PDB file of all heavy atoms in Angstrom:
ATOM      1  N   ALA A  24     -10.688   7.995   7.986  1.00  0.00           N
ATOM      2  CA  ALA A  24     -10.677   7.642   9.411  1.00  0.00           C
ATOM      3  C   ALA A  24     -10.935   8.887  10.258  1.00  0.00           C
ATOM      4  O   ALA A  24     -11.681   8.831  11.256  1.00  0.00           O
ATOM      5  CB  ALA A  24      -9.345   6.999   9.785  1.00  0.00           C
ATOM      6  N   ASN A  25     -10.336  10.012   9.866  1.00  0.00           N
ATOM      7  CA  ASN A  25     -10.569  11.268  10.590  1.00  0.00           C
ATOM      8  C   ASN A  25     -12.027  11.697  10.473  1.00  0.00           C
ATOM      9  O   ASN A  25     -12.635  12.156  11.445  1.00  0.00           O
ATOM     10  CB  ASN A  25      -9.660  12.369  10.040  1.00  0.00           C
ATOM     11  CG  ASN A  25      -8.188  12.097  10.286  1.00  0.00           C
ATOM     12  OD1 ASN A  25      -7.834  11.192  11.055  1.00  0.00           O
ATOM     13  ND2 ASN A  25      -7.332  12.845   9.625  1.00  0.00           N
ATOM     14  N   LEU A  26     -12.581  11.552   9.270  1.00  0.00           N
ATOM     15  CA  LEU A  26     -13.994  11.876   9.066  1.00  0.00           C
ATOM     16  C   LEU A  26     -14.873  10.983   9.933  1.00  0.00           C
ATOM     17  O   LEU A  26     -15.801  11.459  10.596  1.00  0.00           O
ATOM     18  CB  LEU A  26     -14.364  11.708   7.591  1.00  0.00           C
ATOM     19  CG  LEU A  26     -15.846  11.824   7.247  1.00  0.00           C
ATOM     20  CD1 LEU A  26     -16.374  13.224   7.554  1.00  0.00           C
ATOM     21  CD2 LEU A  26     -16.091  11.468   5.776  1.00  0.00           C
ATOM     22  N   ALA A  27     -14.578   9.689   9.926  1.00  0.00           N
ATOM     23  CA  ALA A  27     -15.371   8.736  10.713  1.00  0.00           C
ATOM     24  C   ALA A  27     -15.329   9.070  12.199  1.00  0.00           C
ATOM     25  O   ALA A  27     -16.352   9.005  12.900  1.00  0.00           O
ATOM     26  CB  ALA A  27     -14.861   7.311  10.471  1.00  0.00           C
ATOM     27  N   GLU A  28     -14.164   9.468  12.680  1.00  0.00           N
ATOM     28  CA  GLU A  28     -14.020   9.818  14.102  1.00  0.00           C
ATOM     29  C   GLU A  28     -14.880  11.028  14.453  1.00  0.00           C
ATOM     30  O   GLU A  28     -15.577  11.039  15.478  1.00  0.00           O
ATOM     31  CB  GLU A  28     -12.550  10.096  14.403  1.00  0.00           C
ATOM     32  CG  GLU A  28     -12.263  10.364  15.863  1.00  0.00           C
ATOM     33  CD  GLU A  28     -10.782  10.587  16.133  1.00  0.00           C
ATOM     34  OE1 GLU A  28      -9.951  10.130  15.328  1.00  0.00           O
ATOM     35  OE2 GLU A  28     -10.476  11.237  17.156  1.00  0.00           O
ATOM     36  N   ASP A  29     -14.854  12.039  13.596  1.00  0.00           N
ATOM     37  CA  ASP A  29     -15.647  13.246  13.859  1.00  0.00           C
ATOM     38  C   ASP A  29     -17.149  12.969  13.759  1.00  0.00           C
ATOM     39  O   ASP A  29     -17.943  13.524  14.533  1.00  0.00           O
ATOM     40  CB  ASP A  29     -15.262  14.356  12.875  1.00  0.00           C
ATOM     41  CG  ASP A  29     -13.883  14.935  13.158  1.00  0.00           C
ATOM     42  OD1 ASP A  29     -13.286  14.572  14.197  1.00  0.00           O
ATOM     43  OD2 ASP A  29     -13.389  15.731  12.334  1.00  0.00           O
ATOM     44  N   LEU A  30     -17.541  12.120  12.821  1.00  0.00           N
ATOM     45  CA  LEU A  30     -18.964  11.788  12.683  1.00  0.00           C
ATOM     46  C   LEU A  30     -19.440  10.892  13.832  1.00  0.00           C
ATOM     47  O   LEU A  30     -20.579  11.005  14.276  1.00  0.00           O
ATOM     48  CB  LEU A  30     -19.225  11.113  11.334  1.00  0.00           C
ATOM     49  CG  LEU A  30     -19.021  11.988  10.094  1.00  0.00           C
ATOM     50  CD1 LEU A  30     -19.308  11.192   8.833  1.00  0.00           C
ATOM     51  CD2 LEU A  30     -19.905  13.242  10.148  1.00  0.00           C
ATOM     52  N   ALA A  31     -18.562  10.033  14.309  1.00  0.00           N
ATOM     53  CA  ALA A  31     -18.915   9.184  15.454  1.00  0.00           C
ATOM     54  C   ALA A  31     -19.167  10.035  16.696  1.00  0.00           C
ATOM     55  O   ALA A  31     -20.024   9.717  17.525  1.00  0.00           O
ATOM     56  CB  ALA A  31     -17.809   8.166  15.716  1.00  0.00           C
ATOM     57  N   ALA A  32     -18.435  11.150  16.803  1.00  0.00           N
ATOM     58  CA  ALA A  32     -18.634  12.060  17.933  1.00  0.00           C
ATOM     59  C   ALA A  32     -20.010  12.709  17.895  1.00  0.00           C
ATOM     60  O   ALA A  32     -20.515  13.174  18.913  1.00  0.00           O
ATOM     61  CB  ALA A  32     -17.541  13.133  17.934  1.00  0.00           C
ATOM     62  N   LEU A  33     -20.633  12.725  16.712  1.00  0.00           N
ATOM     63  CA  LEU A  33     -22.001  13.248  16.574  1.00  0.00           C
ATOM     64  C   LEU A  33     -23.049  12.154  16.748  1.00  0.00           C
ATOM     65  O   LEU A  33     -24.233  12.373  16.525  1.00  0.00           O
ATOM     66  CB  LEU A  33     -22.176  13.891  15.193  1.00  0.00           C
ATOM     67  CG  LEU A  33     -21.306  15.105  14.885  1.00  0.00           C
ATOM     68  CD1 LEU A  33     -21.518  15.541  13.425  1.00  0.00           C
ATOM     69  CD2 LEU A  33     -21.628  16.246  15.827  1.00  0.00           C
ATOM     70  N   ASN A  34     -22.578  10.951  17.109  1.00  0.00           N
ATOM     71  CA  ASN A  34     -23.449   9.791  17.330  1.00  0.00           C
ATOM     72  C   ASN A  34     -24.180   9.333  16.062  1.00  0.00           C
ATOM     73  O   ASN A  34     -25.320   8.861  16.141  1.00  0.00           O
ATOM     74  CB  ASN A  34     -24.470  10.066  18.451  1.00  0.00           C
ATOM     75  CG  ASN A  34     -23.791  10.289  19.790  1.00  0.00           C
ATOM     76  OD1 ASN A  34     -22.876   9.536  20.149  1.00  0.00           O
ATOM     77  ND2 ASN A  34     -24.194  11.328  20.485  1.00  0.00           N
ATOM     78  N   LEU A  35     -23.537   9.473  14.927  1.00  0.00           N
ATOM     79  CA  LEU A  35     -24.129   8.927  13.709  1.00  0.00           C
ATOM     80  C   LEU A  35     -24.103   7.408  13.773  1.00  0.00           C
ATOM     81  O   LEU A  35     -23.140   6.818  14.271  1.00  0.00           O
ATOM     82  CB  LEU A  35     -23.367   9.405  12.471  1.00  0.00           C
ATOM     83  CG  LEU A  35     -23.970  10.631  11.778  1.00  0.00           C
ATOM     84  CD1 LEU A  35     -23.854  11.857  12.644  1.00  0.00           C
ATOM     85  CD2 LEU A  35     -23.310  10.853  10.433  1.00  0.00           C
ATOM     86  N   VAL A  80     -18.923  19.003   9.098  1.00  0.00           N
ATOM     87  CA  VAL A  80     -17.724  18.270   9.519  1.00  0.00           C
ATOM     88  C   VAL A  80     -16.689  18.264   8.389  1.00  0.00           C
ATOM     89  O   VAL A  80     -15.501  18.487   8.613  1.00  0.00           O
ATOM     90  CB  VAL A  80     -18.083  16.828   9.943  1.00  0.00           C
ATOM     91  CG1 VAL A  80     -16.833  15.977  10.111  1.00  0.00           C
ATOM     92  CG2 VAL A  80     -18.884  16.840  11.239  1.00  0.00           C
ATOM     93  N   GLN A  83     -14.697  21.417   8.029  1.00  0.00           N
ATOM     94  CA  GLN A  83     -13.738  21.676   9.107  1.00  0.00           C
ATOM     95  C   GLN A  83     -12.648  20.602   9.203  1.00  0.00           C
ATOM     96  O   GLN A  83     -11.743  20.712  10.032  1.00  0.00           O
ATOM     97  CB  GLN A  83     -14.484  21.767  10.444  1.00  0.00           C
ATOM     98  CG  GLN A  83     -15.489  22.905  10.479  1.00  0.00           C
ATOM     99  CD  GLN A  83     -16.370  22.877  11.712  1.00  0.00           C
ATOM    100  OE1 GLN A  83     -16.325  21.948  12.507  1.00  0.00           O
ATOM    101  NE2 GLN A  83     -17.180  23.914  11.872  1.00  0.00           N
ATOM    102  N   LEU A  84     -12.714  19.592   8.357  1.00  0.00           N
ATOM    103  CA  LEU A  84     -11.762  18.485   8.428  1.00  0.00           C
ATOM    104  C   LEU A  84     -10.384  18.939   7.946  1.00  0.00           C
ATOM    105  O   LEU A  84     -10.260  19.468   6.838  1.00  0.00           O
ATOM    106  CB  LEU A  84     -12.265  17.329   7.571  1.00  0.00           C
ATOM    107  CG  LEU A  84     -11.731  15.950   7.902  1.00  0.00           C
ATOM    108  CD1 LEU A  84     -12.194  15.524   9.292  1.00  0.00           C
ATOM    109  CD2 LEU A  84     -12.190  14.943   6.867  1.00  0.00           C
ATOM    110  N   PRO A  85      -9.345  18.767   8.763  1.00  0.00           N
ATOM    111  CA  PRO A  85      -8.006  19.214   8.347  1.00  0.00           C
ATOM    112  C   PRO A  85      -7.415  18.283   7.280  1.00  0.00           C
ATOM    113  O   PRO A  85      -7.790  17.116   7.181  1.00  0.00           O
ATOM    114  CB  PRO A  85      -7.191  19.130   9.641  1.00  0.00           C
ATOM    115  CG  PRO A  85      -7.888  18.113  10.474  1.00  0.00           C
ATOM    116  CD  PRO A  85      -9.350  18.191  10.115  1.00  0.00           C
ATOM    117  N   PRO A 130     -19.222   5.181  11.453  1.00  0.00           N
ATOM    118  CA  PRO A 130     -20.356   5.632  10.643  1.00  0.00           C
ATOM    119  C   PRO A 130     -20.070   5.554   9.137  1.00  0.00           C
ATOM    120  O   PRO A 130     -20.983   5.532   8.322  1.00  0.00           O
ATOM    121  CB  PRO A 130     -20.550   7.094  11.054  1.00  0.00           C
ATOM    122  CG  PRO A 130     -19.734   7.305  12.266  1.00  0.00           C
ATOM    123  CD  PRO A 130     -18.655   6.281  12.231  1.00  0.00           C
TER     124      PRO A 130
END
Side-chain angles (χ1 to χ4, degrees):
N25 295 348
L26 172 64
E28 184 178 337
D29 289 353
L30 293 180
L33 297 175
N34 296 315
L35 264 67
V80 169
Q83 298 172 354
L84 202 65

